[in-house]
Amino acid sequence: MLGQQLLNGVVLGAVYALFALGFTLIFGVLGVINLTYGFYFSAGAFLALYFTQGLGISMMLALLLAGIVTGGIAVILDGLLLTPLRRAKAPELASLMVTLGATLFLYSLMSAYFGTDIRRLPPKVFTNVGFNWLGLHIETSQLLILVTMVVIVSGLGWLTQRTRMGLAIRALAENGTAAQLAGINAGAVTRIVSFLSGGIGGLAGVLIGMNYNAIEPYMGEQMMLKGFAVVIMGGLGNIRGALVAGLMLGVLETLTAGYIGSSLKDAVGFGLAVLTLWVRPVGLFGRATIKRA
Amino acid sequence: MSAFFANLLFTYQSLIYGLGINAILGLSMYVVLAIGQLSLGQAAFMGVGAYASSLLSVKLGLSFPVVLVAAAGVPAMLALLVSVPTLRLSGVYLAIATIGLGEVLRLFYVNWDYAGGALGLSGIPDRGGFFTIFGTLALLLAAAFAVGRSRIGRAMEAIREDEQAAGVMGIDVPRYKLAALVISAAIAGIAGAYNAHVTAFIAPGDYAFDNAVTILSYALLGGIGSPLGPVFGAFLLTALPELLRPLHDYRLVLNGLIIVSVVIFMPRGLFSWHMRRIGAAK
Amino acid sequence: MKFVQLKRGLRAGALAASVLATGMAGAPYAMAQAKTSVQLGAIEVLSGPNAKYGVSIKSGFDLALSEINAAGGVLGAPLAIHYEDSAGNKDQAVNAVRKLIGADKVSLILGPTLSGEMFAAGPVANAQKIPIVGTSTTANGITALGNYVFRTSLPESDVVPVTLKAARDKLGVKKVAVMYGNDDAFTKSGYDVMKAALTKLGIETLTTETFGGKDTDFSAQLTKIKAMNPDAIVVSALVQAGAGIMLEKKALGFSDKVRIIGGNGLNSPKIGEIAGAAANGTLVGSPWFVGKQDAANVKFVGAYKAKYNAEPDQFAAQAYDTLFIVAKAITAAGAADPQKIRDALVNVKYSGVLGPSAFTADRNPADTSGVVVLEMEDGKFAPLK
Amino acid sequence: MTDALLEINHLGVRFGAVQALSDVSFRVEAGTIHGLIGPNGAGKTTAFNVISGLARQTSGQIRLAGVTLDQLPSYRRTRLGLARTFQNIRIFREMSVLENVLTGAHVQTGGSALDILLRLPRFRAAEREGVARARDILQLVGLESRAESGAGDLAYGDMRRLEIARALASNPKLLMLDEPAAGMNPSETQALRDLLLVLKKRGVTLLLVEHDMQFVMQLCEEITVLNFGALIAQGSPQEVRRDPQVIEAYLGTKTAHKLEQKS
């Protein structure tokens, strides 16, 4: 049973990590808590539903397309909402507030349009197949989540560490003004980061919607709270941190539910997050220098 | 004629009470924002005030003034505990830490059978009315103005603008931050008690993240140039859902649109008047 | 000129006020009756995450309303329903009650959708002596709010024991694992009922696991449960979590013989839609199911499908019957007077798509004879053989 | 020599791998104007930050009027009689000019929280007195006509003067000025020099970081020179000017050129 529980934990952790990656990326580079992130998650799932059911596209292609479209939405939303605020040098709180209003707008528009019924991908589009190995059980969708997570993490690692674009992204994350002075096109980098983050959010939405087979407009909002916990534990803006913290949270939640008591399961996340803030406010992997106020 | 007003007051009673209570919550948010801190724990503190006061009313039958002392005191104590680690944290960390507080408390209420657990606490006596709520609001507003127009108000604004420079002015920044969080928690707790005692029923989910965000939006919509901003913002955002009722499903859509437009086009809030921070005539 | 206008305006205002003032004295209900129609209010969750329940209920009311009015209405006048959206928020539910009573002068209020909303809104209507009838509020203690608070939905305590008894007697279930959503009033009170019923029926509970209503991952709890080898899993959950549990149970390779036994929350065709084959074998108890073969129900389901192009769920059916019950009570009362309607409601007997119904002395549904145990088979609930 | 107001003993500051200050010692005598100079990156602002408590030293000691400041937070140092301005002007832009000066007088202003809440006469008298004092200070720096203006609307030179006024409001024993003349035109610089001399006459000790060498040489009685975080010279303007190490540190820069011409 322990083996299966650990596997359950890793899969759940991968779900958390996958969701948190885009969230932490957008914070790390653009320095904004972008609450619309949860919306890309929901939007991705609905788009995949539309592509497969409405247009008859295959699941894998739909997954990719959904990621691209949500990435595009993220770029547009950033341009409409946050760029004007950046230009006006509005206080940090204003950006938080604007994404908040936008979240309210987008979710309610979505539920007014689609209704709040739970939807599912039809079995002919995607059916989970289970694999058994050494008494452990895993499903196709779970494997897909694990694989996607590994691909995205290594892709982001390669992009930020090995490419010129990555250098620009890191420079912008380090110090926006200095990066601009050094001739980096901050607008372009912002768009690329928004695209990546929105795309990751959308992909996560498709995969997780597929795994639990329940797609509804507010699914992204449910993920946000766990996303916050993971991002704090890993350190705001830290990709590797989000990965490790996500996996850790998943495993600890599962073990808590399996061996201590399931009513404590949800307390684990915020318990750990609060503990992190007490002991090491920059997160498990955050660098010790905190940005001066 | 008086019957007409009696009817009007009956019909819109909870809306009118809601205006007052939410304005108090807006002020509690103001106290923190005015010092440049972002707390998303106001809903949590409101919940602690609501639970503390309701339990004393329902289980022990204590009188309302006594209950109110607890409604202010318990959240204030909690704020004191919470602020130990969070004072070291700046900006977004404090915000996220306080979100965590709300979530932890929700789970606590859910598992606390004495307080009704997930079923919530019903049968809370109807206490405090129009005059209690709006009297409190008036008192708090007067206090906010009095404090704002003194060295304390100047120190708060200094901390909001530049923490380090404020320290160099001889202002004990950590103490101010601590006091602001504790006082704002006490104010939110009182609002929670009023809310619980006019709606008769409270449940663990009433003080979650959404509500924290709503309270924040009162202050941001109204602006924090003066205490009137959050009050004005609370009035508007409380009345808005009622005014927009005929829109049904698209009500929240418009609500969101309004918030977005205000922030983009009027980043200092709708009510951007700055109060004078000197407590004597020129 | 301006002054004259102002004066005229004042006079008109005073007139309106005096009309309203007489209204307060008790005459308006007679006036409303003579004027046009009988005014009812309904408070449902029509927006936000829980809108699915409110929308179903509204559909049920609207279908019944068109049938009642097509047949001549009540007391010779058409029936009208003022809908108010609570968005699932108790404060807005209270606002709605006050508006319906104070501004719309309704004679009776239907709803609200959620038990939590009723706990806040019920006392307001009760204090004003306006009957308020919940169609979906199954939590314990609802009707204890006062003499004007009714509900037509069978509380879980009438349904769950029937289901569990059938499981024990027909399927030989002796030891079970229990799972419930611990952060929601509905699922928590469902669990309380299950726990009592299990003890009473002598069924052994191997373990009790909880989850959050919005959780999507149940693997940890189910892996633990699987190792204990229960005969069945008793689940108190709403549709989303319930379907998630079924899917995960199948994924973890439970034997098909280990059934899910659910409460009212799982009694929805959505379960089959979301969980597919994983939902097969699920047991629920209900006074109603979509495939119920009596004439009234066949007619209802047909009309509902024709109007909405979707199958009704139990919320719609309950709402549909409730409006007929209320209409019958108003007819019996002979006037759209809240007090008379309340007194008539207590005694009304009606037979609709849910079978025969009446109220107990404490304003809960009296007739539990209609409860059947249903089994999910290929996406549809059918009576357990 | 006996009544040193500020004593810096073996001060060292390290940020990660960077040694910003190493083993710096100097004394500022009460009633003097003391210059702290050095090329860019010499560690002058770091020294200011450590003395005022905005950064922490990794070794060494700071004493103000005999009191060890080492681990005190900045507000405590202010209460002990230390005040400073910033190189990159940090006034409170959303307050009025008068409010800025009153904020500087935070420690000086009376009135308990209760006095304030009840608006007792005691509190109002304290506010009136504070305003009168603030206006005096504004007059001293020549900003009295702008008292009610928004601080963010001031011209650059006026902002510098407001920062000095704000620092003065705390009634400091030691006033530390970080490049007060930067960005000022010659007549403003002249006015500033006069102001500093008035302050000196009133008994305020001044510690000055400044790039305008002429300004420093004319005003200061004692000068400390830093380069790459280390002290390289100390003494009267004449001594410092002739110091070969100082000349070398400044060599190739315009300032060095100027220095040589003047000597």
Side-chain angles (χ1 to χ4, degrees):
Chain A
M1 181 170 127
L2 179 63
Q4 182 66 45
Q5 288 291 34
L6 284 174
L7 182 64
N8 294 339
V10 169
V11 172
L12 180 62
V15 165
Y16 292 153
L18 191 58
F19 178 81
L21 281 174
F23 190 33
T24 206
L25 178 70
I26 208 163
F27 180 86
V29 181
L30 306 181
V32 176
I33 300 186
N34 191 334
L35 295 173
T36 58
Y37 183 71
F39 169 76
Y40 309 136
F41 183 81
S42 303
F46 269 87
L47 282 167
L49 203 61
Y50 172 71
F51 289 145
T52 51
Q53 246 180 327
L55 303 181
I57 293 172
S58 82
M59 191 62 223
M60 284 304 127
L61 194 61
L63 179 69
L64 214 63
L65 274 180
I68 292 171
V69 176
T70 50
I73 298 174
V75 173
I76 294 170
L77 282 178
D78 188 273
L80 281 177
L81 303 175
L82 295 171
T83 309
L85 291 181
R86 262 180 228 124
R87 210 170 288 145
K89 299 219 182 322
E92 191 181 342
L93 289 182
S95 356
L96 188 68
M97 184 70 189
V98 84
T99 60
L100 191 80
T103 310
L104 191 61
F105 173 80
L106 293 166
Y107 278 128
S108 45
L109 192 67
M110 208 161 146
S111 64
Y113 188 75
F114 292 110
T116 50
D117 269 357
I118 301 156
R119 288 148 190 264
R120 67 182 300 232
L121 293 161
K124 64 170 190 284
V125 174
F126 177 79
T127 314
N128 253 330
V129 182
F131 301 96
N132 286 299
W133 181 64
L134 293 179
L136 299 180
H137 184 94
I138 193 162
E139 304 260 301
T140 346
S141 61
Q142 297 177 330
L143 278 173
L144 209 54
I145 287 176
L146 288 171
V147 169
T148 313
M149 189 197 67
V150 171
V151 169
I152 289 180
V153 168
S154 31
L156 281 179
W158 173 78
L159 182 80
T160 51
Q161 301 302 324
R162 296 286 159 86
T163 63
R164 278 189 63 79
M165 176 51 65
L167 191 68
I169 291 175
R170 277 184 292 148
L172 193 69
E174 208 67 47
N175 186 333
T177 332
Q180 258 169 308
L181 288 177
I184 285 168
N185 182 345
V189 177
T190 301
R191 281 190 289 278
I192 285 167
V193 170
S194 297
F195 179 82
L196 286 175
S197 155
I200 294 171
L203 280 183
V206 182
L207 288 171
I208 293 165
M210 207 161 91
N211 185 42
Y212 297 121
N213 217 350
I215 295 169
E216 51 105 14
Y218 287 91
M219 62 192 279
E221 193 158 79
Q222 316 306 347
M223 284 301 284
M224 279 302 263
L225 281 175
K226 287 280 156 69
F228 271 129
V230 170
V231 165
I232 288 201
M233 281 159 60
L236 281 169
N238 190 319
I239 289 168
R240 199 167 52 115
L243 173 70
V244 177
L247 287 173
M248 204 172 87
L249 180 62
V251 169
L252 284 174
E253 277 193 356
T254 305
L255 294 183
T256 306
Y259 296 96
I260 301 174
S262 38
S263 58
L264 291 174
K265 181 185 167 198
D266 280 331
V268 172
F270 277 97
L272 282 179
V274 168
L275 198 70
T276 310
L277 288 176
W278 265 83
V279 180
R280 206 177 145 71
V282 289
L284 298 175
F285 303 95
R287 279 160 307 167
T289 48
I290 314 178
K291 233 190 257 174
R292 284 261 170 74
Chain B
M1 202 66 189
S2 71
F4 173 72
F5 284 111
N7 187 42
L8 201 70
L9 194 65
F10 169 78
T11 307
Y12 296 105
Q13 180 188 304
S14 50
L15 179 62
I16 294 167
Y17 287 7
L19 290 173
I21 291 167
N22 291 340
I24 296 175
L25 288 170
L27 277 180
S28 95
M29 192 75 237
Y30 171 80
V31 172
V32 193
L33 287 177
I35 204 163
Q37 297 274 90
L38 174 58
S39 152
L40 283 169
Q42 299 317 104
F45 295 129
M46 177 193 180
V48 174
Y51 265 93
S53 63
S54 303
L55 284 173
L56 292 179
S57 282
V58 172
K59 307 275 179 182
L60 303 180
L62 294 183
S63 74
F64 200 50
V66 179
V67 164
L68 280 184
V69 172
V74 179
M77 244 129 68
L78 184 70
L80 206 61
L81 275 176
V82 166
S83 56
V84 175
T86 50
L87 279 180
R88 288 183 299 152
L89 313 172
S90 69
V92 291
Y93 280 98
L94 176 67
I96 300 177
T98 43
I99 293 177
L101 177 72
E103 197 52 22
V104 167
L105 283 171
R106 187 182 69 84
L107 293 170
F108 174 72
Y109 301 140
V110 159
N111 290 303
W112 193 22
D113 286 336
Y114 180 73
L119 298 181
L121 201 59
S122 58
I124 302 163
D126 186 4
R127 298 272 162 74
F130 182 84
F131 292 103
T132 320
I133 294 170
F134 283 87
T136 307
L137 177 61
L139 219 61
L140 287 173
L141 255 181
F145 267 100
V147 169
R149 294 182 160 164
S150 75
R151 75 189 163 94
I152 299 180
R154 294 189 290 269
M156 290 173 75
E157 173 66 13
I159 295 170
R160 191 183 71 79
E161 285 192 45
D162 188 334
E163 234 176 74
Q164 285 195 331
V168 169
M169 298 302 110
I171 296 163
D172 184 350
V173 177
R175 208 176 118 212
Y176 268 79
K177 283 187 180 176
L178 183 84
L181 196 68
V182 168
I183 289 169
S184 87
I187 297 174
I190 287 176
Y194 288 160
N195 179 254
H197 285 80
V198 298
T199 52
F201 171 69
I202 57 174
D206 293 350
Y207 311 101
F209 181 55
D210 300 6
N211 303 63
V213 162
T214 309
I215 296 171
L216 174 65
S217 54
Y218 297 153
L220 294 188
L221 187 72
I224 52 166
S226 83
L228 287 178
V231 170
F232 186 68
F235 283 169
L236 201 67
L237 279 179
T238 310
L240 210 55
E242 295 304 313
L243 299 177
L244 300 180
R245 222 167 234 292
L247 289 174
H248 289 294
D249 273 4
Y250 289 89
R251 200 168 60 172
L252 293 173
V253 179
L254 192 68
N255 213 343
L257 201 62
I258 289 172
I259 295 178
V260 170
S261 326
V262 166
V263 177
I264 291 188
F265 299 113
M266 312 176 82
R268 278 160 196 277
L270 285 173
F271 199 77
S272 57
W273 172 73
H274 265 61
M275 71 168 150
R276 192 175 143 89
R277 300 186 185 278
I278 300 172
K282 295 179 187 181
Chain C
M1 189 60 202
K2 247 185 179 163
F3 176 70
V4 176
Q5 267 181 354
L6 183 70
K7 239 181 135 178
R8 198 178 297 150
L10 273 177
R11 207 177 305 144
L15 194 69
S18 70
V19 169
L20 282 164
T22 22
M24 289 297 286
Y29 306 107
M31 270 176 51
Q33 186 191 347
K35 213 168 59 197
T36 48
S37 48
V38 177
Q39 309 290 320
L40 304 181
I43 304 163
E44 306 295 346
V45 183
L46 299 176
S47 61
N50 284 317
K52 46 184 170 283
Y53 305 110
V55 170
S56 271
I57 292 169
K58 181 170 183 289
S59 302
F61 284 147
D62 284 342
L63 181 61
L65 187 71
S66 60
E67 288 177 12
I68 290 167
N69 285 341
V74 290
L75 306 174
L79 202 58
I81 302 180
H82 296 263
Y83 286 102
E84 291 292 337
D85 177 14
S86 67
N89 174 315
K90 68 179 170 116
D91 293 327
Q92 289 192 34
V94 171
N95 281 344
V97 169
R98 291 181 176 275
K99 176 169 177 288
L100 288 171
I101 296 174
D104 298 326
K105 308 282 180 213
V106 300
S107 309
L108 176 141
I109 293 169
L110 300 158
T113 311
L114 308 175
S115 294
E117 296 177 314
M118 181 61 112
F119 279 122
V124 179
N126 194 63
Q128 297 300 312
K129 301 192 191 306
I130 303 289
I132 183 164
V133 184
T135 67
S136 56
T137 42
T138 52
N140 291 332
I142 290 284
T143 56
L145 289 170
N147 283 328
Y148 292 80
V149 182
F150 292 73
R151 69 165 144 207
T152 56
S153 44
L154 282 178
E156 294 275 67
S157 52
D158 285 340
V159 181
V160 167
V162 178
T163 321
L164 288 173
K165 189 163 185 298
R168 185 190 65 180
D169 298 347
K170 290 191 183 174
L171 304 169
V173 169
K174 287 191 201 67
K175 49 190 194 346
V176 297
V178 180
M179 287 181 81
Y180 73 100
N182 71 342
D183 61 349
D184 175 277
F186 174 81
T187 52
K188 170 68 167 62
S189 63
Y191 160 72
D192 291 340
V193 169
M194 287 169 176
K195 190 174 151 193
L198 286 169
T199 315
K200 207 171 157 200
L201 292 166
I203 301 173
E204 185 193 352
T205 303
L206 298 171
T207 177
T208 302
E209 298 295 325
T210 65
F211 54 85
K214 289 161 184 170
D215 283 4
T216 43
D217 178 88
F218 308 95
S219 55
Q221 293 94 323
L222 285 167
T223 302
K224 182 175 171 189
I225 287 172
K226 192 180 175 207
M228 294 177 159
N229 215 1
D231 297 336
I233 307 173
V234 177
V235 175
S236 179
L238 290 172
V239 168
Q240 183 161 0
I245 290 172
M246 291 168 194
L247 283 166
E248 203 130 0
K249 168 180 159 263
K250 189 171 168 59
L252 285 169
F254 272 82
S255 148
D256 284 346
K257 281 183 191 149
V258 181
R259 293 172 186 250
I260 301 271
I261 303 172
N264 203 15
L266 297 190
N267 181 13
S268 159
K270 279 263 151 205
I271 287 283
E273 238 171 81
I274 300 169
N280 282 347
T282 301
L283 295 186
V284 296
S286 173
W288 181 86
F289 60 101
V290 72
K292 209 167 158 241
Q293 285 305 319
D294 58 88
N297 192 54
V298 171
K299 179 173 155 276
F300 162 67
V301 174
Y304 193 97
K305 276 185 181 160
K307 187 164 181 178
Y308 301 107
N309 196 28
E311 278 197 349
D313 62 11
Q314 166 221 346
F315 292 98
Q318 198 92 57
Y320 179 80
D321 262 12
T322 302
L323 195 65
F324 280 103
I325 292 169
V326 165
K328 199 171 177 190
I330 297 172
T331 309
D337 175 77
Q339 184 62 43
K340 287 183 184 154
I341 294 175
R342 191 216 90 95
D343 296 341
L345 261 181
V346 178
N347 297 314
V348 80
K349 301 264 185 296
Y350 175 77
S351 186
V353 301
L354 276 76
S357 68
F359 288 104
T360 60
D362 58 359
R363 302 164 307 286
N364 278 315
D367 204 317
T368 59
S369 63
V371 175
V372 275
V373 177
L374 304 174
E375 175 184 20
M376 174 67 77
E377 235 175 293
D378 299 325
K380 287 215 161 76
F381 277 114
L384 176 68
K385 278 154 227 143
Chain D
M1 190 64 199
T2 42
D3 51 349
L5 182 62
L6 180 73
E7 281 177 74
I8 308 287
N9 294 321
H10 308 291
L11 196 64
V13 178
R14 175 187 282 280
F15 297 123
V18 182
Q19 188 77 38
L21 285 180
S22 49
D23 198 28
V24 172
S25 304
F26 65 92
R27 302 157 64 93
V28 177
E29 306 297 325
T32 63
I33 300 184
H34 191 115
L36 183 61
I37 63 169
N40 282 329
K44 300 168 306 228
T45 296
T46 302
F48 260 39
N49 284 343
V50 171
I51 296 169
S52 59
L54 298 185
R56 288 276 175 269
Q57 71 261 42
T58 26
S59 59
Q61 261 195 340
I62 306 165
R63 290 159 69 85
L64 182 73
V67 181
T68 304
L69 298 184
D70 293 355
Q71 298 303 323
L72 293 182
S74 57
Y75 77 93
R76 295 280 300 275
R77 303 183 190 210
T78 308
R79 290 173 188 190
L80 289 170
L82 200 106
R84 69 168 287 184
T85 66
F86 294 90
Q87 185 188 347
N88 53 338
I89 307 179
R90 287 165 80 169
I91 54 172
F92 305 119
R93 282 161 200 268
E94 297 197 14
M95 291 198 234
S96 74
V97 169
L98 186 62
E99 286 164 1
N100 262 278
V101 180
L102 281 168
T103 306
H106 182 79
V107 183
Q108 305 294 317
T109 316
S112 71
L114 197 67
D115 295 348
I116 291 167
L117 279 172
L118 301 177
R119 292 189 64 77
L120 294 182
R122 193 159 49 185
F123 158 70
R124 275 181 288 172
E127 285 283 293
R128 267 196 300 274
E129 193 191 321
V131 170
R133 242 193 97 232
R135 285 187 186 280
D136 284 347
I137 295 171
L138 283 175
Q139 190 154 25
L140 186 68
V141 303
L143 277 176
E144 70 276 20
S145 63
R146 304 299 305 271
E148 302 298 329
S149 309
D153 302 333
L154 291 183
Y156 188 80
D158 287 349
M159 286 190 182
R160 287 234 173 269
R161 285 192 284 171
L162 173 57
E163 234 193 344
I164 296 172
R166 187 181 67 176
L168 279 175
S170 68
N171 218 358
K173 293 179 193 144
L174 176 68
L175 176 59
M176 313 202 306
L177 301 171
D178 199 346
E179 299 198 26
M184 283 190 170
N185 63 34
S187 72
E188 283 176 327
T189 310
Q190 184 57 47
L192 178 66
R193 184 175 326 168
D194 296 343
L195 172 64
L196 298 189
L197 288 170
V198 171
L199 294 180
K200 184 190 166 193
K201 210 169 284 172
R202 291 191 174 190
V204 181
T205 307
L206 294 163
L207 178 61
L208 192 66
V209 165
E210 185 51 66
H211 275 298
D212 182 339
M213 279 309 138
Q214 198 182 350
F215 188 85
V216 174
M217 294 298 165
Q218 281 178 6
L219 271 175
C220 299
E221 285 128 305
E222 185 84 3
I223 292 178
T224 301
V225 191
L226 297 180
N227 193 23
F228 293 116
L231 189 139
I232 54 171
Q234 190 143 228
S236 68
Q238 289 73 21
E239 288 163 3
V240 165
R241 200 178 291 178
R242 288 191 204 98
D243 191 295
Q245 263 190 293
V246 176
I247 295 170
E248 197 190 319
Y250 277 94
L251 203 67
T253 69
K254 273 182 193 166
T255 334
H257 190 59
K258 261 192 229 164
L259 269 172
E260 278 172 355
Q261 277 186 333
K262 296 233 166 72
S263 52

